[in-house]
Amino acid sequence: VKSDSLNDIKVVVDPKFTLEDVRALDKQKQPAWDLLGRKYIPGYVGMNNIKANDYTNAVVQALAHVSPLRNFLMLEDFSSRPQLVQRFSTLVRKIWNSKAFKSHVSPHELMQEISSRSNKKFTLTEQADPAEFLSWFLNNLHLALGGSRSKPKSSIVQTIFQGSVKIESQSITARADASDRLRFEDTEIKSQTSPFMILTLDLPPAPLFQDDTDNNIIPQVPLTTVLNKYNGITAQEKLNNRVRYRLLHPLPPYLIMHVKRFESNKFLQAQRNPTIVTFNPRALDMSPYVEPNPKLHPLNEPIVYDLVANITHEGVKVRDDSVEGEAERKVWRAQVKEESGETAQQQWWEMQDLFVDKVNADLLCTKEAYVMVWERRRNGKGKSKAK
């Protein structure tokens, strides 16, 4: 059927963008209106939670604001690519559509493909871990785009997110001082280089006791302290080895960090660490955690990143008749930065499924950060933008 009257429907079902349209996305935002007259900002819209897919909603919202990936998904032709890429591209274009009938979008088609491709590991009906899903999704997106399992940075996904880390390990012998087991000795040190797309950050143990008013103590730790895991000095004990890490140049345009909050205890239950990670969303200097390499980066020059997306966790108490007391339900939210022509102003939006609201940048670190996406500044000044 060919009729101009169907153009509006075609724009909603399969929005198309030109290069000029994409370039204008990060300029001053213009509001749009849906069929019911409700105002919304393209790119900052709600997403249906069909039953328990809030964990995927938060990940999709975060990835939809990684400019190089978003632009690529909007402009390329994926008609010959696997369904995972096609459906993700369509959903991202719907998120940024200024002519939508409704001020929210549905991830149902993408979730069907994800469920099938993951052998129902990630579904609509059962909540999963956003960090696990993000790792699976990025790897499968990389392969669906023709990326290689062995050749690094063979797709745009790895070009944007992949970096390298040096891992040094040493066996802990019986002669090691019990009070200083993590100090590296002058004996043989094994070294290897490993690629990464997500940096795992370990939290210090949460306190076991309550304060004088019987309230749980919620400790705080700066992000820079947690990042010391990658300074090449701080060591960890793994099995019978001591291990230390150091990032290598060049760092990727976008850094994904996963704050590891859940550990399985001896009862095979996930135990949550509620420690708050404090950070400034602007000007994170990663140079202290990268091994110097004058050929790739000038010495003593900072490597500055700005936060563009943050996935947070909240534990909500719910009644559970199957156990005594209350159970805890996980709530996942995405906080994304609104790009503006004026770099001095930062507007942030918080999205929990269909609920979208503005959030103060100073309040970002008051919640339990779980997955953070940082964008590298170009030469420490301008923004890093992939074509």
Side-chain angles (χ1 to χ4, degrees):
V1 177
K2 294 184 179 180
S3 173
D4 292 341
S5 63
L6 298 178
N7 287 341
D8 289 344
I9 297 176
K10 290 162 67 176
V11 169
V12 171
V13 174
D14 189 17
K16 300 294 184 182
F17 289 80
T18 65
L19 182 58
E20 290 71 23
D21 294 335
V22 170
R23 286 175 175 171
L25 290 178
D26 293 333
K27 296 180 180 179
Q28 197 66 34
K29 297 294 182 295
Q30 297 296 329
W33 282 263
D34 64 9
L35 289 183
L36 297 178
R38 292 174 295 197
K39 185 169 70 172
Y40 69 96
I41 304 295
Y44 306 87
V45 297
M47 194 174 295
N48 286 339
N49 184 355
I50 300 166
K51 184 172 182 181
N53 57 286
D54 57 336
Y55 68 100
T56 59
N57 289 354
V59 169
V60 169
Q61 293 280 21
L63 292 179
H65 289 82
V66 175
S67 300
L69 181 62
R70 176 202 65 190
N71 298 352
F72 177 77
L73 292 170
M74 286 183 165
L75 295 174
E76 294 294 322
D77 179 14
F78 300 111
S79 57
S80 61
R81 294 293 186 183
Q83 283 293 313
L84 184 70
V85 179
Q86 294 186 34
R87 298 187 184 189
F88 184 44
S89 171
T90 301
L91 182 57
V92 169
R93 284 183 277 121
K94 287 181 177 180
I95 289 173
W96 289 92
N97 187 14
S98 61
K99 299 178 181 179
F101 287 174
K102 297 180 180 180
S103 57
H104 60 270
V105 297
S106 174
H108 188 264
E109 291 183 349
L110 176 62
M111 284 303 306
Q112 284 182 318
E113 179 63 21
I114 288 171
S115 176
S116 172
R117 197 178 180 96
S118 66
N119 294 321
K120 296 187 177 181
K121 180 179 181 180
F122 303 106
T123 66
L124 291 164
T125 56
E126 291 187 19
Q127 205 176 52
D129 187 284
E132 289 184 13
F133 169 70
L134 177 59
S135 177
W136 177 91
F137 189 58
L138 288 179
N139 281 292
N140 279 268
L141 203 61
H142 162 72
L143 296 174
L145 288 169
S148 168
R149 294 183 182 272
S150 56
K151 184 180 178 181
K153 298 187 178 180
S154 53
S155 78
I156 190 171
V157 175
Q158 290 189 347
T159 301
I160 294 172
F161 297 114
Q162 191 178 72
S164 298
V165 60
K166 183 174 74 172
I167 305 172
E168 293 182 326
S169 60
Q170 188 178 74
S171 298
I172 300 177
T173 63
R175 301 188 303 274
D177 187 349
S179 61
D180 197 16
R181 289 170 56 86
L182 296 182
R183 182 176 60 84
F184 273 73
E185 301 169 350
D186 294 331
T187 56
E188 180 183 359
I189 298 177
K190 297 179 180 178
S191 179
Q192 67 178 39
T193 300
S194 176
F196 71 86
M197 281 201 289
I198 300 177
L199 285 179
T200 302
L201 306 181
D202 303 313
L203 292 173
L208 300 176
F209 305 102
Q210 296 178 323
D211 59 16
D212 295 336
T213 59
D214 290 333
N215 292 322
N216 288 326
I217 301 172
I218 301 180
Q220 298 183 4
V221 59
L223 176 61
T224 50
T225 299
V226 182
L227 279 169
N228 281 335
K229 171 183 177 180
Y230 296 97
N231 62 8
I233 302 173
T234 305
Q236 296 181 333
E237 184 172 343
K238 287 193 173 183
L239 299 178
N240 61 339
N241 291 305
R242 54 176 76 94
V243 183
R244 61 189 179 192
Y245 306 89
R246 193 75 185 267
L247 302 179
L248 300 176
H249 285 295
L251 289 184
Y254 286 78
L255 270 177
I256 301 177
M257 300 179 187
H258 166 218
V259 181
K260 192 175 181 181
R261 294 192 173 275
F262 298 95
E263 293 280 357
S264 297
N265 57 24
K266 60 184 178 181
F267 303 105
L268 300 180
Q269 296 175 333
Q271 191 170 2
R272 175 172 66 97
N273 188 329
T275 301
I276 297 296
V277 178
T278 60
F279 57 88
N280 186 337
R282 304 189 67 177
L284 171 65
D285 183 12
M286 291 294 297
S287 59
Y289 318 104
V290 186
E291 189 169 89
N293 188 338
K295 293 182 180 180
L296 298 177
H297 188 81
L299 293 175
N300 301 321
E301 183 174 306
I303 307 172
V304 182
Y305 281 81
D306 296 310
L307 188 68
V308 295
N310 184 35
I311 297 175
T312 66
H313 167 267
E314 181 183 357
V316 178
K317 298 293 184 182
V318 293
R319 181 177 177 180
D320 189 349
D321 296 332
S322 63
V323 296
E324 291 187 9
E326 296 177 320
E328 189 175 78
R329 178 173 66 89
K330 298 182 177 68
V331 175
W332 302 104
R333 294 184 178 92
Q335 299 169 330
V336 296
K337 184 175 68 173
E338 178 183 332
E339 302 291 351
S340 174
E342 299 180 16
T343 56
Q345 297 181 350
Q346 274 196 356
Q347 176 60 60
W348 283 81
W349 293 85
E350 186 173 75
M351 305 170 186
Q352 180 196 346
D353 301 328
L354 294 177
F355 300 97
V356 180
D357 202 2
K358 293 182 178 180
V359 61
N360 192 315
D362 296 332
L363 300 179
L364 296 178
C365 64
T366 61
K367 296 186 178 181
E368 295 180 14
Y370 196 66
V371 176
M372 295 182 282
V373 183
W374 296 81
E375 179 186 21
R376 182 173 179 172
R377 291 186 191 177
R378 184 182 300 166
N379 299 326
K381 297 178 183 179
K383 291 176 67 60
S384 170
K385 294 290 184 187
K387 299 297 183 183

